[in-house]
Amino acid sequence: MSSQTYSISDLARELDITTRAIRFYEEQGLLSPERRGQERIYSPRDKVTLKLILRGKRIGFSLAECRELIELYDPSSGNTRQLNSMLAKISERREQLEQQLLDIEQMKLELDTAEERCVQALEQTLKSQQVV
């Protein structure tokens, strides 16, 4: 494993996140950097953990789901449990998104119907005003 270490600002710059976000993940117990006085020293594993958290967030995983996946990290087993869990979560997320797409399509149809009724009512109102 690389002996390279990172400061909080190094990680923030490299991963394009704020130092505040990194400290938040540390407070949540997802990161545990070494300390030299007040300075936090992050390891390559911390960097990988942050990348996993950010990737998980991008695909809609909760912080708890990210934590669960990180805790399953076990390179001695080829990360089989972690990968299987990730696949299951991806499948669940995909199902949620498919349902959301169906819900959005239904809502669009309802909006179209409401809009059509409003236009018809407005036309009727305008016609009745012209007759008078």
Side-chain angles (χ1 to χ4, degrees):
M1 181 169 234
S2 170
S3 62
Q4 181 175 5
T5 59
Y6 307 89
S7 70
I8 194 167
S9 56
D10 291 337
L11 284 180
R13 190 172 32 260
E14 198 169 323
L15 300 176
D16 196 27
I17 59 174
T18 64
T19 56
R20 184 176 179 189
I22 295 171
R23 285 191 299 271
F24 171 77
Y25 296 132
E26 184 180 339
E27 290 167 9
Q28 296 301 308
L30 294 166
L31 300 171
S32 50
E34 290 181 34
R35 297 278 187 154
R36 287 191 198 135
Q38 291 295 317
E39 185 181 12
R40 293 168 168 89
I41 307 298
Y42 294 90
S43 68
R45 182 177 176 139
D46 290 323
K47 182 179 174 182
V48 169
T49 297
L50 269 172
K51 285 181 174 181
L52 287 172
I53 292 167
L54 296 173
R55 183 178 300 136
K57 283 181 54 181
R58 277 194 307 274
I59 60 177
F61 290 171
S62 69
L63 201 53
E65 289 171 316
C66 291
R67 177 190 314 276
E68 182 182 326
L69 290 170
I70 291 163
E71 288 173 353
L72 290 174
Y73 178 75
D74 180 15
S76 67
S77 72
N79 290 312
T80 304
R81 287 182 58 217
Q82 184 187 45
L83 294 170
N84 282 328
S85 181
M86 179 77 161
L87 286 171
K89 289 184 183 317
I90 288 170
S91 179
E92 288 172 21
R93 184 67 181 136
R94 190 180 311 275
E95 287 175 20
Q96 290 170 349
L97 289 172
E98 291 295 332
Q99 184 59 54
Q100 286 176 333
L101 281 172
L102 290 173
D103 293 345
I104 289 169
E105 286 302 319
Q106 182 63 40
M107 191 178 297
K108 284 172 56 179
L109 289 172
E110 290 176 20
L111 286 170
D112 290 345
T113 301
E115 181 181 43
E116 188 177 314
R117 288 181 181 163
C118 286
V119 167
Q120 288 174 353
L122 186 57
E123 288 173 355
Q124 285 296 96
T125 300
L126 292 174
K127 282 182 187 177
S128 67
Q129 288 175 351
Q130 289 175 351
V131 172
V132 176

